[in-house]
């Protein structure tokens, strides 16, 4: 896990979803998981039905 961006890890993606379901905001989630807010938003958009 030397040069792998944390936002690509499946467990981090799962944490993004769990934090969103528990009411955490995008910036808070990004800060806690140490990833960019853009990554959080991108992951959440994948989960929203059109």
């Amino acid at each position: 896990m030397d040069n792998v961006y944390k936002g690509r890890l499946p467990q981090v993606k799962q944490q993004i979803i769990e934090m969103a379901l528990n009411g955490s905001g995008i910036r808070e989630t990004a800060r806690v998981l140490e990833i960019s807010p853009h990554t959080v938003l991108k992951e959440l958009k994948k989960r929203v039905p059109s």
Side-chain angles (χ1 to χ4, degrees):
M1 201 163 60
D2 293 332
N3 292 329
V4 177
Y5 177 61
K6 287 183 182 181
R8 291 182 167 264
L9 300 173
Q11 59 267 31
V12 173
K13 290 181 178 188
Q14 185 61 38
Q15 278 187 290
I16 291 170
I17 303 306
E18 290 173 10
M19 289 181 74
L21 292 174
N22 286 315
S24 295
I26 293 168
R27 289 189 299 174
E28 178 185 12
T29 301
R31 186 173 55 249
V32 169
L33 298 178
E34 299 177 340
I35 57 177
S36 81
H38 177 74
T39 302
V40 175
L41 193 56
K42 192 167 77 172
E43 190 60 33
L44 291 175
K45 282 184 175 183
K46 287 181 190 176
R47 308 290 183 194
V48 177
S50 300

